[in-house]
Amino acid sequence: MLKDRLFITSFASISALGNSSEQVWQNYLHQKHFFNTENYLDESTYVSRLDQESKNLIESLKNEQSRYQDLDLSVLYAIFSARETFRKSKTETKDFGINIGSSRGATFLFEKYHDQYLKEGKTSTLASPTTTLGNISSWVLQDLESEGPEISHSITCSTALHGLLNATAWLQSDMAEAFLIGGSEAPLTPFTIAQMKAVKLYANFDEKEKWPNRSLEIDKPRNTMILGEAASTFFVEKNADRALAEILGLGYASEKLTHNISLSKDAVCIQKSMQMALKQAKLDHVDAVVTHAPGTRKGDWAELNAIKAVFGDRLPLITSNKFKIGHTFGASGGMSLEMALLMLAHHQFIENPFFKNKAEKPKTLKTIMVNAVGFGGNAVSVIVGK
């Protein structure tokens, strides 16, 4: 049980869905995906990139000052999203914490500087300071001139929601009054995509395919994960005056690995995290679940098994967003949380084309659970409500 009530008072993101909440919501309503086809290592490859308007905004941000010229895209995305979140929070204090994580961090700069090292036997002076994991949160702190604590972390694909866990611990212990949390990822680089293809998770290119990522399709014949770039951030505080939603319950768990990217067939870690969140929220049911469901055969199936194990025959509405924007790694839990908040705000459930919900849609969505799970057998579940 949470000692103090916690609220989300603002949020923002930047992704292929757009750079404003209005754009993002309208693109959720459209029956289309946001994947491009690009050439990686002489192979046609699906990716989810920022739209042109968002790219222009990031370029403008980069040109604001000379120091920003040398930052990785993962940092620039986080700064943009954090600025919007802070602006919309309408808070006047600078005494707030920052915890923005990433699964991969500065992928573009890592590859750039390593390539330079291989060719020249040396690398740039800026190679180290611009590729540290702490680089993301520390630059956001500098940009917003925050006077609170600054934390960086990487818990693979559940990174953004682990940021919410961290913020909760600080806020519940009265060590902070507010936190800006989230995740940022810019993984569309040759080596990063090669890694996903090496573990045979990536979607094959098929020019006739209407939905390249088939998240939540139970009987798909192959893996269909696609990488996307994004940043998503949230302002969390105890003050309910400007609240958009309340954090009702939080859960986390892990399970024993059988190999580096394993997940049990019933996703025990997701079951435990959902049960913990429900217990904390004093609920036995929610109106909807936004799943992690990356579009892999075993991962999607295991999460659905976990949801059935927890809720039994009384399943909530189930959906995902990866059929539209793919997997944004450390930002993915944040993008799912944003989807949940938008559905609560608009009283409308966004269907996934591959999952046939049997649950009756309520007139008003009141409680939504968000799941995230990552390499390492870890899971986080969050329940938000109006």
Side-chain angles (χ1 to χ4, degrees), residues 273-285:
S273 69
M274 288 191 292
Q275 289 164 343
M276 183 186 293
L278 287 166
K279 182 178 180 180
Q280 191 176 83
K282 296 183 178 179
L283 296 171
D284 59 9
H285 198 263

Side-chain angles (χ1 to χ4, degrees), residues 323-376:
F323 70 96
K324 278 184 171 287
I325 58 169
H327 196 351
T328 55
F329 279 161
S332 63
M335 295 301 295
S336 294
L337 179 56
E338 177 189 58
M339 183 188 192
L341 294 173
L342 289 171
M343 288 194 295
L344 284 175
H346 293 275
H347 307 294
Q348 185 172 346
F349 178 75
I350 301 299
E351 293 278 2
N352 176 296
F354 301 109
F355 188 84
K356 304 303 179 184
N357 281 291
K358 296 180 181 179
E360 184 178 345
K361 293 180 184 177
K363 292 181 179 180
T364 302
L365 289 169
K366 295 181 179 179
T367 55
I368 301 179
M369 177 183 283
V370 179
N371 288 336
V373 62
F375 288 169

Side-chain angles (χ1 to χ4, degrees), residues 94-306:
K94 292 289 186 177
D95 187 17
F96 60 92
I98 292 174
N99 186 183
I100 302 176
S102 180
S103 177
R104 303 283 162 158
T107 51
F108 174 79
L109 290 185
F110 263 121
E111 293 180 35
K112 171 187 172 182
Y113 289 133
H114 185 252
D115 185 60
Q116 180 189 28
Y117 174 74
L118 292 177
K119 291 177 179 178
E120 303 175 15
K122 58 182 180 180
T123 192
S124 168
T125 305
L126 292 175
S128 176
T130 58
T131 58
T132 59
L133 185 59
N135 190 47
I136 299 178
S137 284
S138 61
W139 274 108
V140 169
L141 179 141
Q142 291 291 324
D143 188 78
L144 297 181
E145 299 179 350
S146 166
E147 297 172 0
E150 176 255 311
I151 308 168
S152 298
H153 72 288
S154 176
I155 319 286
T156 61
C157 305
S158 58
T159 291
L161 296 192
H162 269 282
L164 183 54
L165 291 178
N166 291 341
T168 299
W170 279 76
L171 295 171
Q172 294 289 287
S173 64
D174 297 323
M175 293 179 66
E177 290 299 316
F179 247 86
L180 192 152
I181 65 98
S184 184
E185 209 74 54
L188 304 183
T189 59
F191 184 55
T192 308
I193 288 176
Q195 291 175 65
M196 293 303 102
K197 289 187 175 183
V199 290
K200 304 187 187 308
L201 297 178
Y202 218 87
N204 294 329
F205 175 72
D206 182 352
E207 60 183 8
K208 297 180 181 179
E209 180 60 72
K210 179 181 178 181
W211 296 101
N213 179 285
R214 305 181 77 84
S215 170
L216 287 180
E217 183 180 50
I218 296 174
D219 56 354
K220 53 181 166 284
R222 59 184 181 275
N223 291 321
T224 63
M225 191 181 81
I226 299 170
L227 292 189
E229 54 184 1
S232 55
T233 51
F234 308 82
F235 203 76
V236 184
E237 55 184 315
K238 299 177 184 179
N239 187 350
D241 293 345
R242 299 180 298 273
L244 301 176
E246 182 173 2
I247 299 166
L248 301 175
L250 293 160
Y252 57 89
S254 59
E255 62 180 60
K256 188 174 182 179
L257 296 175
T258 55
H259 58 80
N260 289 354
I261 60 173
S262 68
L263 184 67
S264 58
K265 66 178 182 179
D266 295 317
V268 174
C269 59
I270 303 179
Q271 287 188 51
K272 289 180 178 179
S273 69
M274 288 191 292
Q275 289 164 343
M276 183 186 293
L278 287 166
K279 182 178 180 180
Q280 191 176 83
K282 296 183 178 179
L283 296 171
D284 59 9
H285 198 263
V286 291
D287 293 330
V289 176
V290 180
T291 61
H292 180 74
T296 61
R297 295 178 65 194
K298 291 183 178 179
D300 293 11
W301 179 244
E303 186 171 5
L304 287 171
N305 285 341

